Amino acid sequence: MTQLELARQGIVSDKMQQAAEAAGIDAEILRQRIAEGTAIVCHNNRHTNGLPLAVGKGLPTRVNANIGTSKDDTSIDKELEKARVAVAAGADAIMDLSTGGPIDEIRHAIIAETQACIGSVPLYQAACDTVVKKGKAIVDMSVDEIFDGIKKHLDDGVDFITVHCGVTRATVERMDNEGRIMEVVSRGGSFTVAWMAHNDAENPLFEHYDRLLELVKPYDATLSLGDGFRPGCLADATDRAQIHELIILGELTQRAWDAGIQVMIEGPGHVPLNQIEANIQLQKRLCHGAPFYVLGPLVTDIAPGYDHITCAIGGAIAASAGADFLCYVTPSEHLCLPNVKDVHEGVMATRVAAHAADIVKGLPGAMEKDIAMSKARKALDWETQYCLAIDPELARKRRGESGVDEEHGACTMCGEFCAYKVMDERKK
Ligand SMILES: C[C@H]1O[C@@H](n2cnc3c(N)ncnc32)[C@H](O)[C@@H]1O
Ligand SMILES: Cc1ncc(COP(=O)(O)O)c(N)n1
Ligand code: MET
Ligand code: SF4
Ligand SMILES: [Zn+2]
């Protein structure tokens, strides 16, 4: 039985127990939410060294880091370092989005490296193999090659797979009719649209969705229903193609649930700040409360180099409105492949957003951390401040570099005119 089927029968599995303990939530409550689909316990049966991750209602806002090679940068060592840095920085999940070099080896190495939850987009490798190994074009992939590619990732223990099942003839037509500045910016979405046009066929992952469900079931992996029509710029946000795809993803969610398979929904993208809450509400309503996994959202298009910030602003709004899982964006977004430093900064920025939202969500223990920090700050207790900091190493380093390190001394911002010290004098 899958986790969803067990949960529906009232059984709290070992995985649920383990994931609930790690999340600090009651296992029975988690079970109920898994049963109703509003939470998932993300874990592939084949992922022997991996820990199950609970995502969704009542759980901490989760953070994913995307890593992986591209044609221009294929070093396994660098990707392993990114995986280490992402986890050390506090990422809950890692997606391997490799499209260059020895893709199988890289995925195996990343999976072996960490116990974190692992995601992938199997279609990327199916497309790369068709181009690089077979010397054909992406659009020449056969349907069996697409499904075999998915099976290979599941065999390796990937916990959640992005599948762009909502890219259909009808959604493409809607997009073309309305018109868009950026059209499709999703990589998997673009492969699928191009494949459909060339083969004059429906998306196989939509047409043969039952085959996909059957394939995934023995692994008990999570389907992350991809957003091929996520807006790639503010002007395209919340348009008819995006919402049409979301309606289809809602239908596919129910079909997956009927088959006993857990689901989350991928979401935008580039969205103006004042449309974010509506996007979350639409997803929650149309997908019957399935966990929402958003990329950003990025709240402006004009800040390349700072997109970890545009992402964190949107992520904080999205998660406080109910998004469950934030995919980071790094300072390299729209410019180049992220390096190790980008990965660190991306995870930290998104963790700040996630924590800010957890306070709004009323997550037990979230606000308490801020209160503890404030007390330590008022007491000029630096060691405690470092411990409580989202990035303890950075906090310690910056104060250290300023040349003062007296245990209960002020910092160089105000020095002897430290407001906390001035207020202490009043008491004396
Ligand atoms: C959908 C998201 O995936 C990211 N993305 C795509 N490929 C990679 C990669 N190799 N490494 C890191 N991020 C990647 C994009 O930057 C986008 O934000
Ligand atoms: C939150 C989120 N959304 C989408 C994708 C897939 O990327 P793409 O759609 O570009 O293939 C992803 N990895 N994460
Ligand atoms: C396909 S990688 C580029 C993704 C793009 N920045 C987006 O908005 O989703
Ligand atoms: S410009 Fe760069 S990040 Fe954007 S879709 Fe093209 S290759 Fe990907
Ligand atoms: Zn973008």
Side-chain angles (χ1 to χ4, degrees):
M1 268 195 288
T2 64
Q3 294 300 310
L4 178 52
E5 290 167 336
L6 290 166
R8 280 190 192 134
Q9 301 220 342
I11 299 165
V12 175
S13 68
D14 291 347
K15 280 189 200 181
M16 291 176 213
Q17 190 69 46
Q18 204 180 352
E21 270 168 35
I25 182 179
D26 179 70
E28 169 56 21
I29 292 178
L30 177 60
R31 181 202 65 76
Q32 285 169 21
R33 292 185 178 154
I34 293 169
E36 70 190 17
T38 57
I40 55 172
V41 54
C42 192
H43 186 258
N44 178 329
N45 290 331
R46 298 281 181 98
H47 192 180
T48 43
N49 67 326
L51 298 173
L53 180 71
V55 182
K57 189 174 171 188
L59 291 151
T61 303
R62 301 304 192 180
V63 172
N64 174 77
N66 287 336
I67 61 170
T69 57
S70 72
K71 182 174 161 280
D72 303 300
D73 201 335
T74 61
S75 152
I76 296 193
D77 290 344
K78 264 193 240 171
E79 294 315 316
L80 280 179
E81 184 62 12
K82 288 182 199 172
R84 271 181 227 124
V85 164
V87 171
D92 301 293
I94 291 177
M95 286 192 86
D96 173 20
L97 301 179
S98 292
T99 54
I103 297 175
D104 286 331
E105 267 183 66
I106 295 161
R107 184 175 57 260
H108 298 159
I110 292 171
I111 291 172
E113 175 65 36
T114 157
Q115 296 187 303
C117 186
I118 302 285
S120 74
V121 188
L123 188 67
Y124 293 177
Q125 188 180 12
C128 289
D129 287 353
T130 306
V131 172
V132 178
K133 291 193 181 156
K134 300 192 178 126
K136 296 193 280 183
I138 292 175
V139 295
D140 296 324
M141 262 184 298
S142 71
V143 174
D144 283 341
E145 282 166 343
I146 294 173
F147 277 93
D148 290 348
I150 294 171
K151 182 170 186 306
K152 179 156 72 164
H153 285 219
L154 293 170
D155 280 331
D156 287 345
V158 170
D159 301 301
F160 65 98
I161 54 165
T162 295
V163 275
H164 297 82
C165 304
V167 175
T168 65
R169 283 178 149 154
T171 38
V172 175
E173 195 186 327
R174 271 234 150 71
M175 176 184 73
D176 287 338
N177 285 343
E178 185 172 4
R180 263 188 171 191
I181 295 176
M182 296 286 286
E183 296 199 303
V184 169
V185 300
S186 153
R187 189 192 288 156
S190 72
F191 292 178
T192 307
V193 172
W195 190 96
M196 290 162 63
H198 183 267
N199 295 287
D200 189 20
E202 186 49 280
N203 173 2
L205 295 181
F206 176 73
E207 195 173 9
H208 308 298
Y209 188 63
D210 289 327
R211 175 175 173 188
L212 177 65
L213 296 178
E214 220 171 284
L215 175 61
V216 170
K217 193 159 185 182
Y219 304 90
D220 205 357
T222 297
L223 282 187
S224 190
L225 295 176
D227 52 344
F229 290 92
R230 73 166 171 274
C233 65
L234 267 56
D236 292 344
T238 331
D239 71 348
R240 300 201 290 262
Q242 187 201 321
I243 302 308
H244 185 174
E245 179 181 52
L246 190 59
I247 291 171
I248 294 172
L249 296 184
E251 291 165 354
L252 297 179
T253 297
Q254 286 191 302
R255 283 172 63 187
W257 285 348
D258 289 345
I261 291 163
Q262 303 184 96
V263 174
M264 60 185 168
I265 306 294
E266 290 183 5
H270 295 238
V271 183
L273 223 144
N274 61 338
Q275 291 179 22
I276 292 176
E277 191 176 356
N279 270 264
I280 310 301
Q281 288 171 345
L282 282 168
Q283 184 274 342
K284 287 293 170 193
R285 175 63 188 89
L286 293 169
C287 302
H288 292 244
F292 201 17
Y293 173 36
V294 295
L295 178 69
L298 312 181
V299 295
T300 172
D301 303 325
I302 65 155
Y306 298 99
D307 273 327
H308 56 317
I309 297 175
T310 66
C311 161
I313 295 171
I317 307 278
S320 46
D324 306 278
F325 193 6
L326 301 179
C327 182
Y328 85 174
V329 167
T330 77
S332 76
E333 186 77 7
H334 304 111
L335 299 171
C336 55
L337 195 75
N339 60 28
V340 171
K341 184 166 176 272
D342 293 321
V343 169
H344 177 82
E345 289 178 7
V347 173
M348 286 303 174
T350 300
R351 280 189 60 215
V352 172
H355 176 71
D358 284 345
I359 293 168
V360 177
K361 287 179 178 177
L363 199 91
M367 183 62 186
E368 284 72 9
K369 286 186 194 160
D370 293 67
I371 291 171
M373 176 64 100
S374 313
K375 289 181 177 164
R377 195 165 273 160
K378 172 85 171 152
L380 291 164
D381 174 353
W382 298 98
E383 275 309 315
T384 305
Q385 290 181 65
Y386 300 150
C387 286
L388 291 166
I390 215 146
D391 187 348
E393 237 175 273
L394 179 66
R396 187 184 295 279
K397 174 169 160 272
R398 291 305 306 265
R399 177 164 162 86
E401 283 170 357
S402 75
V404 293
D405 55 5
E406 233 183 300
E407 175 46 22
H408 288 275
C411 82
T412 55
M413 182 72 84
C414 318
E416 63 175 306
F417 304 114
C418 172
Y420 317 158
K421 289 208 172 237
V422 172
M423 291 304 283
D424 280 350
E425 286 307 314
R426 183 180 73 129
K427 294 243 165 67
K428 289 175 198 161

